[in-house]
Amino acid sequence: MKMMLLHARYQVLENARVPIAVVGFLVFPSLMMFFFVVPMEAVSGDPVASTNAAGQLALFSIVNVCLYTFGAQIAEERGRPWDGYLRTLPAGAGPRLGGRVLNGLFFALIGLIPVILTAALFTNATASPVRILLAVVLLLAIGVPFLLLGLGIGYLLSSKAVYVVVQLLVFPLAFAGGLFFPPELFPGWLDALSQTLPTRAGREMVISVLTGTPLPTTALGVLLAWTVVLAGFAAFAFRRDEGRRFR
């Protein structure tokens, strides 16, 4: 645990030394709120619709941070001598991967703050402080499988390939998961596909906590299944990279 926290602290400080990267975490999600929710009075003026929209974009913020930032960051770090030195230390993969998960959750938490403030100040979104706190904790937990996916991609691909692959993943996952449009508008085949995705499962859980609507029985199972699969993917990618570079 001590080594994991040390790695997490080092990675947070490394990101904080590039202020524009931190600004990106803060600005991008709130810009999505201003462009796609606030101008639409039918959504921003309706308490239920605006609360759902805020929950959906908060989850998109989590997915975006986990995949774009940490997938690409890991791929870039693999080309540096410092990363090669760290891989020769006897601590093993656990503290490094755990530190990256904590680092990702920290910046994901920062990215939620402007979304919550924008929803509170510029829409009629409403939820009790307890529900908001529970939703934030839930969002961080939901972010774990996406962070594992980002870790796996970062260790598996080169820095040039990572950006392309992440672009091919983020927006289809967000759209098909109902983070941009309510799934009630989907055709039957897309709705059936959507219910197998981690983004849709996460959306249903966040909205259920925020609004008190019933939670679909399959959502938790889908998210746990994806977490197990992506944990295996991240471990495989890490070991594969280690085997190729340090055999």
Side-chain angles (χ1 to χ4, degrees):
M1 179 58 74
K2 184 178 179 181
M3 291 299 296
M4 186 186 300
L5 293 176
L6 183 62
H7 276 285
R9 179 188 174 195
Y10 146 71
Q11 290 162 17
V12 168
L13 290 175
E14 187 177 41
N15 281 284
R17 285 172 181 154
V18 186
I20 190 64
V22 180
V23 170
F25 296 138
L26 296 172
V27 171
F28 186 66
S30 57
L31 285 180
M32 294 284 288
M33 284 288 293
F34 275 110
F35 287 143
F36 298 109
V37 176
V38 173
M40 302 172 63
E41 291 187 7
V43 178
S44 62
D46 184 292
V48 175
S50 56
T51 303
N52 289 352
Q56 292 168 188
L57 288 178
L59 180 54
F60 176 71
S61 168
I62 296 285
V63 175
N64 189 59
V65 168
C66 293
L67 291 186
Y68 262 114
T69 305
F70 294 96
Q73 185 181 49
I74 289 170
E76 290 176 0
E77 287 180 356
R78 284 167 53 218
R80 299 174 185 167
W82 175 246
D83 184 77
Y85 168 72
L86 289 178
R87 298 287 284 273
T88 65
L89 298 179
R96 297 194 66 206
L97 287 176
R100 287 198 181 281
V101 170
L102 293 177
N103 179 38
L105 294 179
F106 174 76
F107 282 102
L109 178 62
I110 291 179
L112 292 177
I113 295 173
V115 175
I116 295 172
L117 290 177
T118 304
L121 296 175
F122 299 100
T123 75
N124 285 337
T126 179
S128 68
V130 173
R131 287 191 179 278
I132 293 174
L133 181 60
L134 289 175
V136 169
V137 174
L138 181 61
L139 281 164
L140 295 179
I142 293 171
V144 171
F146 299 102
L147 188 57
L148 292 170
L149 178 58
L151 293 175
I153 292 172
Y155 281 117
L156 195 64
L157 302 175
S158 68
S159 58
K160 292 181 180 178
V162 160
Y163 286 102
V164 177
V165 171
V166 168
Q167 285 176 350
L168 292 174
L169 285 174
V170 167
F171 285 97
L173 276 174
F175 177 81
L179 304 189
F180 296 153
F181 299 100
E184 292 78 12
L185 301 178
F186 289 172
W189 66 268
L190 182 56
D191 185 50
L193 173 65
S194 173
Q195 293 183 35
T196 67
L197 298 177
T199 40
R200 175 67 180 274
R203 174 196 182 275
E204 302 296 350
M205 295 173 72
V206 171
I207 288 179
S208 176
V209 168
L210 282 174
T211 64
T213 54
L215 176 66
T217 55
T218 58
L220 181 59
V222 169
L223 200 63
L224 289 175
W226 276 105
T227 302
V228 172
V229 170
L230 294 174
F233 171 62
F236 164 76
F238 184 88
R239 294 298 183 188
R240 181 176 181 271
D241 178 63
E242 193 170 57
R244 294 176 63 185
R245 298 172 63 197
F246 301 98
R247 67 177 57 170

